[in-house]
mmCIF file of all heavy atoms in Angstrom:
data_model
loop_
_atom_site.group_PDB
_atom_site.id
_atom_site.type_symbol
_atom_site.label_atom_id
_atom_site.label_comp_id
_atom_site.label_asym_id
_atom_site.label_seq_id
_atom_site.Cartn_x
_atom_site.Cartn_y
_atom_site.Cartn_z
ATOM 1 N N VAL A 1270 -18.339 -8.655 17.553
ATOM 2 C CA VAL A 1270 -19.191 -8.294 16.382
ATOM 3 C C VAL A 1270 -18.281 -7.859 15.234
ATOM 4 O O VAL A 1270 -18.461 -8.267 14.091
ATOM 5 C CB VAL A 1270 -20.056 -7.094 16.687
ATOM 6 C CG1 VAL A 1270 -20.701 -6.427 15.430
ATOM 7 C CG2 VAL A 1270 -21.250 -7.514 17.594
ATOM 8 N N ARG A 1271 -17.089 -7.228 15.490
ATOM 9 C CA ARG A 1271 -16.195 -6.981 14.494
ATOM 10 C C ARG A 1271 -15.643 -8.029 13.856
ATOM 11 O O ARG A 1271 -15.528 -8.245 12.639
ATOM 12 C CB ARG A 1271 -15.052 -5.974 15.110
ATOM 13 C CG ARG A 1271 -13.960 -5.604 14.141
ATOM 14 C CD ARG A 1271 -12.752 -4.902 14.734
ATOM 15 N NE ARG A 1271 -12.152 -5.704 15.693
ATOM 16 C CZ ARG A 1271 -11.211 -6.695 15.412
ATOM 17 N NH1 ARG A 1271 -10.932 -6.873 14.039
ATOM 18 N NH2 ARG A 1271 -10.645 -7.508 16.235
ATOM 19 N N LEU A 1272 -15.142 -9.145 14.702
ATOM 20 C CA LEU A 1272 -14.649 -10.301 14.040
ATOM 21 C C LEU A 1272 -15.715 -11.039 13.272
ATOM 22 O O LEU A 1272 -15.227 -11.569 12.185
ATOM 23 C CB LEU A 1272 -14.133 -11.225 15.191
ATOM 24 C CG LEU A 1272 -12.835 -10.716 15.987
ATOM 25 C CD1 LEU A 1272 -12.560 -11.456 17.141
ATOM 26 C CD2 LEU A 1272 -11.694 -10.649 14.894
ATOM 27 N N LEU A 1273 -16.878 -11.076 13.760
ATOM 28 C CA LEU A 1273 -17.979 -11.775 13.001
ATOM 29 C C LEU A 1273 -18.169 -11.125 11.570
ATOM 30 O O LEU A 1273 -18.270 -11.811 10.628
ATOM 31 C CB LEU A 1273 -19.285 -11.776 13.745
ATOM 32 C CG LEU A 1273 -20.455 -12.506 13.135
ATOM 33 C CD1 LEU A 1273 -20.242 -13.996 12.834
ATOM 34 C CD2 LEU A 1273 -21.713 -12.290 14.000
ATOM 35 N N LEU A 1274 -18.337 -9.836 11.722
ATOM 36 C CA LEU A 1274 -18.499 -9.029 10.386
ATOM 37 C C LEU A 1274 -17.333 -9.209 9.525
ATOM 38 O O LEU A 1274 -17.544 -9.309 8.392
ATOM 39 C CB LEU A 1274 -18.856 -7.525 10.760
ATOM 40 C CG LEU A 1274 -20.212 -7.285 11.256
ATOM 41 C CD1 LEU A 1274 -20.259 -5.777 11.733
ATOM 42 C CD2 LEU A 1274 -21.252 -7.747 10.476
ATOM 43 N N LEU A 1275 -16.203 -9.151 9.948
ATOM 44 C CA LEU A 1275 -14.992 -9.237 9.229
ATOM 45 C C LEU A 1275 -14.879 -10.684 8.607
ATOM 46 O O LEU A 1275 -14.664 -10.786 7.320
ATOM 47 C CB LEU A 1275 -13.678 -8.911 9.981
ATOM 48 C CG LEU A 1275 -12.357 -9.048 9.378
ATOM 49 C CD1 LEU A 1275 -12.446 -7.897 8.268
ATOM 50 C CD2 LEU A 1275 -11.189 -8.779 10.310
ATOM 51 N N GLU A 1276 -15.120 -11.606 9.350
ATOM 52 C CA GLU A 1276 -15.084 -13.088 8.800
ATOM 53 C C GLU A 1276 -16.175 -13.235 7.659
ATOM 54 O O GLU A 1276 -15.945 -13.802 6.688
ATOM 55 C CB GLU A 1276 -15.468 -14.075 9.956
ATOM 56 C CG GLU A 1276 -15.426 -15.442 9.452
ATOM 57 C CD GLU A 1276 -15.671 -16.482 10.580
ATOM 58 O OE1 GLU A 1276 -16.395 -16.094 11.682
ATOM 59 O OE2 GLU A 1276 -15.295 -17.552 10.482
ATOM 60 N N ARG A 1277 -17.337 -12.715 7.964
ATOM 61 C CA ARG A 1277 -18.502 -12.903 6.942
ATOM 62 C C ARG A 1277 -18.163 -12.120 5.637
ATOM 63 O O ARG A 1277 -18.497 -12.491 4.515
ATOM 64 C CB ARG A 1277 -19.756 -12.427 7.534
ATOM 65 C CG ARG A 1277 -20.244 -13.507 8.587
ATOM 66 C CD ARG A 1277 -21.620 -13.451 8.825
ATOM 67 N NE ARG A 1277 -22.080 -14.442 9.802
ATOM 68 C CZ ARG A 1277 -23.297 -14.863 10.019
ATOM 69 N NH1 ARG A 1277 -24.159 -14.373 9.217
ATOM 70 N NH2 ARG A 1277 -23.470 -15.839 10.891
ATOM 71 N N ALA A 1278 -17.660 -10.861 5.853
ATOM 72 C CA ALA A 1278 -17.310 -10.063 4.716
ATOM 73 C C ALA A 1278 -16.255 -10.832 3.930
ATOM 74 O O ALA A 1278 -16.356 -10.831 2.561
ATOM 75 C CB ALA A 1278 -16.882 -8.733 5.104
ATOM 76 N N TYR A 1279 -15.085 -11.270 4.449
ATOM 77 C CA TYR A 1279 -14.130 -11.913 3.746
ATOM 78 C C TYR A 1279 -14.654 -13.161 3.127
ATOM 79 O O TYR A 1279 -14.373 -13.442 1.848
ATOM 80 C CB TYR A 1279 -13.012 -12.318 4.684
ATOM 81 C CG TYR A 1279 -11.769 -12.964 4.160
ATOM 82 C CD1 TYR A 1279 -10.833 -12.095 3.425
ATOM 83 C CD2 TYR A 1279 -11.525 -14.341 4.197
ATOM 84 C CE1 TYR A 1279 -9.822 -12.572 2.894
ATOM 85 C CE2 TYR A 1279 -10.421 -14.805 3.544
ATOM 86 C CZ TYR A 1279 -9.569 -13.923 2.893
ATOM 87 O OH TYR A 1279 -8.447 -14.531 2.261
ATOM 88 N N GLU A 1280 -15.424 -14.106 3.875
ATOM 89 C CA GLU A 1280 -15.767 -15.260 3.215
ATOM 90 C C GLU A 1280 -16.891 -15.092 2.074
ATOM 91 O O GLU A 1280 -17.011 -15.724 1.140
ATOM 92 C CB GLU A 1280 -16.415 -16.268 4.156
ATOM 93 C CG GLU A 1280 -15.444 -16.738 5.146
ATOM 94 C CD GLU A 1280 -15.913 -17.542 6.327
ATOM 95 O OE1 GLU A 1280 -17.246 -17.618 6.501
ATOM 96 O OE2 GLU A 1280 -15.168 -18.224 7.097
ATOM 97 N N GLY A 1281 -17.666 -13.834 2.259
ATOM 98 C CA GLY A 1281 -18.673 -13.542 1.246
ATOM 99 C C GLY A 1281 -18.072 -12.771 0.004
ATOM 100 O O GLY A 1281 -18.900 -12.422 -0.797
ATOM 101 N N GLY A 1282 -16.780 -12.574 0.019
ATOM 102 C CA GLY A 1282 -16.235 -11.751 -1.173
ATOM 103 C C GLY A 1282 -16.577 -10.404 -1.160
ATOM 104 O O GLY A 1282 -16.493 -9.745 -2.130
ATOM 105 N N LYS A 1283 -16.917 -9.769 0.040
ATOM 106 C CA LYS A 1283 -17.215 -8.380 0.017
ATOM 107 C C LYS A 1283 -15.948 -7.542 0.002
ATOM 108 O O LYS A 1283 -14.844 -8.035 0.359
ATOM 109 C CB LYS A 1283 -17.933 -8.019 1.410
ATOM 110 C CG LYS A 1283 -19.238 -8.674 1.503
ATOM 111 C CD LYS A 1283 -20.310 -8.428 0.524
ATOM 112 C CE LYS A 1283 -21.570 -9.154 0.727
ATOM 113 N NZ LYS A 1283 -22.478 -8.912 -0.235
ATOM 114 N N THR A 1284 -16.059 -6.357 -0.543
ATOM 115 C CA THR A 1284 -15.024 -5.341 -0.588
ATOM 116 C C THR A 1284 -15.052 -4.355 0.511
ATOM 117 O O THR A 1284 -16.181 -4.191 1.082
ATOM 118 C CB THR A 1284 -14.940 -4.694 -1.950
ATOM 119 O OG1 THR A 1284 -16.199 -3.861 -2.074
ATOM 120 C CG2 THR A 1284 -14.969 -5.667 -3.142
ATOM 121 N N PRO A 1285 -13.992 -3.587 0.691
ATOM 122 C CA PRO A 1285 -14.146 -2.450 1.680
ATOM 123 C C PRO A 1285 -15.196 -1.509 1.313
ATOM 124 O O PRO A 1285 -15.805 -0.959 2.087
ATOM 125 C CB PRO A 1285 -12.634 -1.784 1.568
ATOM 126 C CG PRO A 1285 -11.802 -3.067 1.084
ATOM 127 C CD PRO A 1285 -12.554 -3.843 0.244
ATOM 128 N N ASP A 1286 -15.318 -1.276 0.024
ATOM 129 C CA ASP A 1286 -16.456 -0.334 -0.537
ATOM 130 C C ASP A 1286 -17.774 -0.911 -0.087
ATOM 131 O O ASP A 1286 -18.741 -0.198 0.178
ATOM 132 C CB ASP A 1286 -16.426 -0.196 -1.936
ATOM 133 C CG ASP A 1286 -15.267 0.724 -2.252
ATOM 134 O OD1 ASP A 1286 -14.708 1.541 -1.531
ATOM 135 O OD2 ASP A 1286 -14.801 0.646 -3.533
ATOM 136 N N ASP A 1287 -18.011 -2.211 -0.108
ATOM 137 C CA ASP A 1287 -19.252 -2.785 0.358
ATOM 138 C C ASP A 1287 -19.440 -2.550 1.913
ATOM 139 O O ASP A 1287 -20.543 -2.205 2.273
ATOM 140 C CB ASP A 1287 -19.272 -4.483 0.089
ATOM 141 C CG ASP A 1287 -19.240 -4.786 -1.363
ATOM 142 O OD1 ASP A 1287 -19.817 -4.140 -2.120
ATOM 143 O OD2 ASP A 1287 -18.650 -5.884 -1.497
ATOM 144 N N ILE A 1288 -18.412 -2.573 2.622
ATOM 145 C CA ILE A 1288 -18.374 -2.398 4.096
ATOM 146 C C ILE A 1288 -18.793 -0.914 4.324
ATOM 147 O O ILE A 1288 -19.770 -0.735 5.122
ATOM 148 C CB ILE A 1288 -17.049 -2.604 4.703
ATOM 149 C CG1 ILE A 1288 -16.665 -4.201 4.589
ATOM 150 C CG2 ILE A 1288 -17.014 -2.216 6.204
ATOM 151 C CD1 ILE A 1288 -17.656 -5.097 5.367
ATOM 152 N N LEU A 1289 -18.306 -0.012 3.560
ATOM 153 C CA LEU A 1289 -18.640 1.411 3.692
ATOM 154 C C LEU A 1289 -19.966 1.676 3.422
ATOM 155 O O LEU A 1289 -20.628 2.581 3.927
ATOM 156 C CB LEU A 1289 -17.546 2.235 3.045
ATOM 157 C CG LEU A 1289 -16.076 2.111 3.505
ATOM 158 C CD1 LEU A 1289 -15.089 2.915 2.715
ATOM 159 C CD2 LEU A 1289 -16.024 2.545 5.039
ATOM 160 N N ALA A 1290 -20.354 1.084 2.287
ATOM 161 C CA ALA A 1290 -21.902 1.188 1.904
ATOM 162 C C ALA A 1290 -22.782 0.763 2.997
ATOM 163 O O ALA A 1290 -23.881 1.229 3.211
ATOM 164 C CB ALA A 1290 -22.211 0.473 0.625
ATOM 165 N N TYR A 1291 -22.520 -0.416 3.602
ATOM 166 C CA TYR A 1291 -23.276 -0.917 4.614
ATOM 167 C C TYR A 1291 -23.224 0.109 5.875
ATOM 168 O O TYR A 1291 -24.340 0.280 6.512
ATOM 169 C CB TYR A 1291 -22.800 -2.238 5.144
ATOM 170 C CG TYR A 1291 -23.612 -2.924 6.298
ATOM 171 C CD1 TYR A 1291 -24.913 -3.350 5.920
ATOM 172 C CD2 TYR A 1291 -23.051 -3.141 7.453
ATOM 173 C CE1 TYR A 1291 -25.648 -3.935 6.965
ATOM 174 C CE2 TYR A 1291 -23.829 -3.783 8.530
ATOM 175 C CZ TYR A 1291 -25.110 -4.136 8.154
ATOM 176 O OH TYR A 1291 -25.847 -4.664 9.159
ATOM 177 N N ALA A 1292 -22.124 0.673 6.040
ATOM 178 C CA ALA A 1292 -22.013 1.747 7.152
ATOM 179 C C ALA A 1292 -22.954 2.901 6.942
ATOM 180 O O ALA A 1292 -23.657 3.423 7.855
ATOM 181 C CB ALA A 1292 -20.572 2.169 7.372
ATOM 182 N N GLU A 1293 -23.068 3.284 5.670
ATOM 183 C CA GLU A 1293 -24.022 4.386 5.389
ATOM 184 C C GLU A 1293 -25.505 4.022 5.616
ATOM 185 O O GLU A 1293 -26.285 4.763 6.123
ATOM 186 C CB GLU A 1293 -23.864 4.727 3.851
ATOM 187 C CG GLU A 1293 -24.688 5.905 3.457
ATOM 188 C CD GLU A 1293 -24.393 7.097 4.293
ATOM 189 O OE1 GLU A 1293 -23.274 7.353 4.645
ATOM 190 O OE2 GLU A 1293 -25.331 7.963 4.545
ATOM 191 N N LYS A 1294 -25.926 2.712 5.477
ATOM 192 C CA LYS A 1294 -27.158 2.327 5.746
ATOM 193 C C LYS A 1294 -27.433 2.357 7.252
ATOM 194 O O LYS A 1294 -28.476 2.701 7.782
ATOM 195 C CB LYS A 1294 -27.427 0.884 5.251
ATOM 196 C CG LYS A 1294 -27.482 0.684 3.782
ATOM 197 C CD LYS A 1294 -27.627 -0.781 3.266
ATOM 198 C CE LYS A 1294 -27.711 -0.797 1.856
ATOM 199 N NZ LYS A 1294 -27.864 -2.149 1.301
ATOM 200 N N ILE A 1295 -26.395 1.903 8.029
ATOM 201 C CA ILE A 1295 -26.424 2.021 9.492
ATOM 202 C C ILE A 1295 -26.577 3.436 9.931
ATOM 203 O O ILE A 1295 -27.449 3.769 10.794
ATOM 204 C CB ILE A 1295 -25.211 1.360 10.146
ATOM 205 C CG1 ILE A 1295 -25.086 -0.069 9.674
ATOM 206 C CG2 ILE A 1295 -25.264 1.487 11.706
ATOM 207 C CD1 ILE A 1295 -26.244 -1.013 10.232
ATOM 208 N N ARG A 1296 -25.847 4.439 9.354
ATOM 209 C CA ARG A 1296 -25.941 5.852 9.661
ATOM 210 C C ARG A 1296 -27.381 6.258 9.444
ATOM 211 O O ARG A 1296 -27.975 7.045 10.219
ATOM 212 C CB ARG A 1296 -24.944 6.631 8.907
ATOM 213 C CG ARG A 1296 -23.639 6.877 9.659
ATOM 214 C CD ARG A 1296 -22.775 7.856 9.090
ATOM 215 N NE ARG A 1296 -22.247 7.495 7.781
ATOM 216 C CZ ARG A 1296 -21.192 6.652 7.494
ATOM 217 N NH1 ARG A 1296 -20.556 6.106 8.478
ATOM 218 N NH2 ARG A 1296 -20.934 6.291 6.282
ATOM 219 N N GLN A 1297 -27.873 5.879 8.212
ATOM 220 C CA GLN A 1297 -29.208 6.247 7.902
ATOM 221 C C GLN A 1297 -30.227 5.875 8.961
ATOM 222 O O GLN A 1297 -31.104 6.598 9.342
ATOM 223 C CB GLN A 1297 -29.618 5.878 6.540
ATOM 224 C CG GLN A 1297 -28.791 6.617 5.443
ATOM 225 C CD GLN A 1297 -29.183 6.010 4.070
ATOM 226 O OE1 GLN A 1297 -29.786 5.025 3.873
ATOM 227 N NE2 GLN A 1297 -28.650 6.748 2.980
ATOM 228 N N PHE A 1298 -30.051 4.638 9.392
ATOM 229 C CA PHE A 1298 -30.996 4.036 10.325
ATOM 230 C C PHE A 1298 -31.001 4.859 11.602
ATOM 231 O O PHE A 1298 -32.002 5.184 12.263
ATOM 232 C CB PHE A 1298 -30.621 2.513 10.674
ATOM 233 C CG PHE A 1298 -31.354 2.044 11.834
ATOM 234 C CD1 PHE A 1298 -32.667 1.523 11.655
ATOM 235 C CD2 PHE A 1298 -30.857 1.966 13.177
ATOM 236 C CE1 PHE A 1298 -33.319 1.044 12.687
ATOM 237 C CE2 PHE A 1298 -31.532 1.519 14.126
ATOM 238 C CZ PHE A 1298 -32.837 0.990 13.986
ATOM 239 N N PHE A 1299 -29.817 5.114 12.193
ATOM 240 C CA PHE A 1299 -29.611 6.090 13.362
ATOM 241 C C PHE A 1299 -30.168 7.464 13.182
ATOM 242 O O PHE A 1299 -30.914 7.959 14.035
ATOM 243 C CB PHE A 1299 -28.234 6.070 13.801
ATOM 244 C CG PHE A 1299 -27.723 4.785 14.497
ATOM 245 C CD1 PHE A 1299 -26.531 4.229 14.100
ATOM 246 C CD2 PHE A 1299 -28.505 4.187 15.371
ATOM 247 C CE1 PHE A 1299 -26.193 3.049 14.701
ATOM 248 C CE2 PHE A 1299 -28.179 2.972 16.075
ATOM 249 C CZ PHE A 1299 -26.942 2.468 15.646
ATOM 250 N N GLU A 1300 -29.976 8.007 11.915
ATOM 251 C CA GLU A 1300 -30.554 9.328 11.609
ATOM 252 C C GLU A 1300 -32.074 9.293 11.722
ATOM 253 O O GLU A 1300 -32.716 10.136 12.272
ATOM 254 C CB GLU A 1300 -30.022 9.869 10.453
ATOM 255 C CG GLU A 1300 -28.658 10.289 10.383
ATOM 256 C CD GLU A 1300 -28.069 10.696 9.084
ATOM 257 O OE1 GLU A 1300 -28.849 10.693 8.061
ATOM 258 O OE2 GLU A 1300 -26.792 10.944 8.962
ATOM 259 N N GLU A 1301 -32.646 8.240 11.277
ATOM 260 C CA GLU A 1301 -34.186 8.120 11.248
ATOM 261 C C GLU A 1301 -34.700 7.692 12.503
ATOM 262 O O GLU A 1301 -35.870 8.007 12.820
ATOM 263 C CB GLU A 1301 -34.575 7.045 10.156
ATOM 264 C CG GLU A 1301 -34.231 7.478 8.727
ATOM 265 C CD GLU A 1301 -34.343 6.236 7.727
ATOM 266 O OE1 GLU A 1301 -34.811 5.234 8.145
ATOM 267 O OE2 GLU A 1301 -33.960 6.483 6.536
ATOM 268 N N ASN A 1302 -33.936 7.200 13.396
ATOM 269 C CA ASN A 1302 -34.535 6.621 14.719
ATOM 270 C C ASN A 1302 -33.974 7.317 16.015
ATOM 271 O O ASN A 1302 -34.292 6.893 17.020
ATOM 272 C CB ASN A 1302 -34.200 5.171 14.743
ATOM 273 C CG ASN A 1302 -35.005 4.298 13.692
ATOM 274 O OD1 ASN A 1302 -36.249 4.226 13.844
ATOM 275 N ND2 ASN A 1302 -34.397 3.998 12.628
ATOM 276 N N ASN A 1303 -33.126 8.278 15.789
ATOM 277 C CA ASN A 1303 -32.678 9.070 16.901
ATOM 278 C C ASN A 1303 -32.923 10.508 16.652
ATOM 279 O O ASN A 1303 -32.819 11.076 15.537
ATOM 280 C CB ASN A 1303 -31.147 8.998 17.138
ATOM 281 C CG ASN A 1303 -30.808 7.614 17.700
ATOM 282 O OD1 ASN A 1303 -31.362 7.136 18.633
ATOM 283 N ND2 ASN A 1303 -29.819 6.869 17.085
ATOM 284 N N PRO A 1304 -33.386 11.277 17.801
ATOM 285 C CA PRO A 1304 -33.551 12.712 17.589
ATOM 286 C C PRO A 1304 -32.317 13.362 17.211
ATOM 287 O O PRO A 1304 -31.341 12.954 17.700
ATOM 288 C CB PRO A 1304 -34.200 13.118 18.777
ATOM 289 C CG PRO A 1304 -33.812 12.023 19.885
ATOM 290 C CD PRO A 1304 -33.618 10.729 19.123
ATOM 291 N N PRO A 1305 -32.366 14.475 16.495
ATOM 292 C CA PRO A 1305 -31.153 15.202 16.088
ATOM 293 C C PRO A 1305 -30.443 15.693 17.428
ATOM 294 O O PRO A 1305 -31.038 16.112 18.394
ATOM 295 C CB PRO A 1305 -31.651 16.362 15.337
ATOM 296 C CG PRO A 1305 -32.915 15.926 14.752
ATOM 297 C CD PRO A 1305 -33.454 15.024 15.699
ATOM 298 N N GLY A 1306 -29.205 15.705 17.369
ATOM 299 C CA GLY A 1306 -28.386 16.190 18.638
ATOM 300 C C GLY A 1306 -27.170 15.399 18.763
ATOM 301 O O GLY A 1306 -26.748 14.770 17.970
ATOM 302 N N ILE A 1307 -26.724 15.486 20.093
ATOM 303 C CA ILE A 1307 -25.454 14.987 20.445
ATOM 304 C C ILE A 1307 -25.317 13.402 20.340
ATOM 305 O O ILE A 1307 -24.468 12.903 19.888
ATOM 306 C CB ILE A 1307 -24.918 15.512 21.882
ATOM 307 C CG1 ILE A 1307 -23.399 15.176 22.070
ATOM 308 C CG2 ILE A 1307 -25.804 14.845 22.885
ATOM 309 C CD1 ILE A 1307 -22.580 15.935 21.275
ATOM 310 N N VAL A 1308 -26.487 12.807 20.669
ATOM 311 C CA VAL A 1308 -26.468 11.357 20.583
ATOM 312 C C VAL A 1308 -26.345 10.918 19.186
ATOM 313 O O VAL A 1308 -25.566 10.001 18.865
ATOM 314 C CB VAL A 1308 -27.847 10.803 21.212
ATOM 315 C CG1 VAL A 1308 -27.917 9.292 20.993
ATOM 316 C CG2 VAL A 1308 -27.881 11.038 22.769
ATOM 317 N N GLU A 1309 -27.065 11.563 18.259
ATOM 318 C CA GLU A 1309 -26.984 11.150 16.882
ATOM 319 C C GLU A 1309 -25.586 11.422 16.297
ATOM 320 O O GLU A 1309 -25.055 10.551 15.593
ATOM 321 C CB GLU A 1309 -28.074 11.982 16.013
ATOM 322 C CG GLU A 1309 -27.925 11.703 14.533
ATOM 323 C CD GLU A 1309 -28.715 12.630 13.668
ATOM 324 O OE1 GLU A 1309 -29.371 13.585 14.162
ATOM 325 O OE2 GLU A 1309 -28.704 12.476 12.450
#
């Protein structure tokens, strides 16, 4: 998955900031879909 995302980001002209913004969306997804606690 790391290699696939890295390749797509590189070929798509994405920046490191774009990657970190995507990470924030993923974090929000987990916060909305996991109960608060150690797993989250």
Side-chain angles (χ1 to χ4, degrees):
V1270 168
R1271 182 186 61 78
L1272 290 171
L1273 177 67
L1274 289 175
L1275 186 60
E1276 179 182 28
R1277 291 201 177 198
Y1279 184 78
E1280 290 175 355
K1283 301 295 182 190
T1284 67
D1286 288 337
D1287 294 327
I1288 298 296
L1289 298 176
Y1291 184 65
E1293 185 57 35
K1294 291 179 184 179
I1295 300 296
R1296 266 192 295 279
Q1297 288 174 356
F1298 172 82
F1299 285 130
E1300 287 174 5
E1301 294 169 4
N1302 293 285
N1303 287 310
I1307 193 71
V1308 171
E1309 178 191 358

